[in-house]
Amino acid sequence: MAEHRSMQRAALLDAARSLLSEGGTEALTFPALAERTGLARSSVYEYFRSRGAVVEELCEVDFPVWAAEVEAAMVIAGGAEARIEAYVRKQLELVADRRHRAVVAISASELDAGAREKIRAAHGGLVAMIVDALADLGHTEPRLAAMLLQGVVDAAVRRVELGAAEHPDAITEAAVSMALGGVRG
């Protein structure tokens, strides 16, 4: 029984990922989840009390996977500049990954405080990874620099997600250039 419930929960999360990556947070509704999984709408409520709860669980499951992939790319990279470049490149590469797309589609403004806090904490973990590399480069305020660097990455992710005029590779190169050279380009 527990295994069956766990499989249904996994199916609901997978359906939520698809809905988020196809249509953003507006697409994530309980009727749509019920339709995608073949469950009755009342059954969806047995697993999740709200859309925020679905998003919260997706963050708990997917963010660590995404962060681990970014961290692995940084470890392989070696030196401080190479780690920073890997940090930017890997996040932009993951935009094509459905798990990541779901996380990107989540707009914190329409979520309850619990879900927003989970997203903030996950982002904090991501930013913490880059602080040491920035300190190694001699930044006097590495935490602030890390937050600003993540802002550049987030802006690049949004451009890719929006299907901007620029090719995703051009957006990635511009973000890497901004990260490594600042506004001097």
Side-chain angles (χ1 to χ4, degrees), residues 14-157:
D14 205 47
R17 281 184 198 98
S18 295
L19 290 164
L20 283 166
S21 58
E22 289 160 21
T25 37
E26 302 77 52
L28 181 60
T29 64
F30 279 29
L33 282 171
E35 189 182 321
R36 287 280 167 107
T37 54
L39 293 170
R41 196 182 313 182
S42 57
S43 298
V44 178
Y45 283 98
E46 288 175 32
Y47 292 91
F48 299 105
R49 67 187 184 284
S50 65
R51 285 189 334 159
V54 177
V55 168
E56 222 174 294
E57 189 152 330
L58 270 179
C59 285
E60 277 178 44
V61 173
D62 294 355
F63 241 117
V65 174
W66 174 33
E69 290 185 38
V70 172
E71 192 167 24
M74 288 174 70
V75 167
I76 294 165
E81 257 192 49
R83 290 198 316 270
I84 291 165
E85 181 169 348
Y87 177 84
V88 174
R89 284 190 188 283
K90 190 62 179 181
Q91 287 190 68
L92 287 162
E93 182 187 309
L94 290 172
V95 175
D97 182 313
R98 211 160 56 92
R99 286 172 316 209
H100 177 72
R101 289 176 58 87
V103 171
V104 169
I106 296 161
S107 133
S109 63
E110 56 187 275
L111 299 175
D112 59 42
R116 275 203 306 276
E117 194 42 54
K118 289 257 167 43
I119 293 168
R120 249 197 309 281
H123 264 287
L126 205 54
V127 168
M129 281 191 242
I130 202 69
V131 172
D132 290 344
L134 290 161
D136 292 349
L137 280 183
H139 270 276
T140 52
E141 300 248 11
R143 179 110 188 114
L144 173 60
M147 306 281 262
L148 295 173
L149 174 60
Q150 185 59 44
V152 168
V153 174
D154 292 344
V157 164

Side-chain angles (χ1 to χ4, degrees), residues 151-170:
V152 168
V153 174
D154 292 344
V157 164
R158 277 193 302 276
R159 285 222 50 88
V160 171
E161 281 289 304
L162 289 169
E166 308 88 5
H167 189 277
D169 292 347

